[in-house]
Amino acid sequence: MENASARNLWGDFLDAHLEFASEDAPRVIHFYDNEKDANVCADLASKETKRAMSHALKGIQLRNEPLPKIGDFYVVTDWNGNAKCVIRTTSVKLLPYFSIREEHARLEGEGDKSLDQWKNTHWGYFSRELGHFGAAPKDSMIVVFEQFEMLYKK
């Protein structure tokens, strides 16, 4: 783990939770692709308001990343790489974009937690993400909806 702040937080987490001492080092992530949203969402995850995140399956595939799975650990940072909390995946569902519901938006915990706000925010994000690969989001695209629990924070 190259990020010293994340490495320190992970070490503090392991000191407090020896039962996870044999786990591989987690991925270090920040939410979104801009400073404002990344920082807001890191704060929401630390406060346990944000309990889910969404990915475009096509984006994961184009970046050659593995699909998230139950039990995955992450160290969440702000935009500048300051570690904020440790989270662990509790559920992964593959859903068509058009089938996302209010419950999903509430679990993500962003903005006013409405489905309209979720769709506006995520459509823009998916457009930017997929646009880097010459692709565009579609109403039928598959969204990887990942729920998590916050396990440890500074």
Side-chain angles (χ1 to χ4, degrees):
M1 197 178 320
E2 292 181 24
N3 178 316
S5 177
R7 188 173 50 249
N8 290 338
L9 186 65
W10 180 246
D12 291 346
F13 167 72
L14 291 178
D15 286 345
H17 297 278
L18 294 175
E19 68 271 24
F20 298 119
S22 64
E23 292 290 331
D24 292 336
R27 284 186 55 201
V28 178
I29 63 166
H30 61 74
F31 298 105
Y32 282 101
D33 59 349
N34 65 79
E35 184 172 2
K36 179 184 175 211
D37 290 332
N39 293 347
V40 166
C41 287
D43 186 52
L44 291 172
S46 292
K47 292 177 179 172
E48 299 182 75
T49 302
K50 181 171 184 59
R51 296 175 293 148
M53 58 183 149
S54 299
H55 319 274
L57 177 60
K58 187 170 192 133
I60 290 172
Q61 292 170 329
L62 291 169
R63 289 188 303 276
N64 294 314
E65 293 177 356
L67 273 174
K69 62 186 181 311
I70 294 171
D72 283 351
F73 286 93
Y74 301 94
V75 174
V76 175
T77 71
D78 65 13
W79 185 255
N80 293 317
N82 300 306
K84 297 299 180 180
C85 63
V86 174
I87 62 173
R88 187 175 192 195
T89 302
T90 58
S91 171
V92 178
K93 295 178 184 170
L94 303 180
L95 305 164
Y97 179 85
F98 65 78
S99 73
I100 298 293
R101 301 287 179 252
E102 292 282 345
E103 171 192 351
H104 301 108
R106 277 193 308 278
L107 286 167
E108 288 222 21
E110 300 169 29
D112 65 4
K113 301 179 185 123
S114 71
L115 182 58
D116 286 341
Q117 189 271 337
W118 186 94
K119 286 194 169 200
N120 287 334
T121 301
H122 285 78
W123 192 265
Y125 172 72
F126 295 146
S127 295
R128 293 186 304 275
E129 174 191 26
L130 297 175
H132 289 294
F133 299 101
K138 297 178 181 174
D139 203 43
S140 61
M141 73 179 177
I142 300 301
V143 173
V144 180
F145 187 77
E146 184 176 2
Q147 288 180 249
F148 58 82
E149 59 183 337
M150 195 281 295
L151 298 176
Y152 188 82
K153 65 181 175 181
K154 283 188 151 179

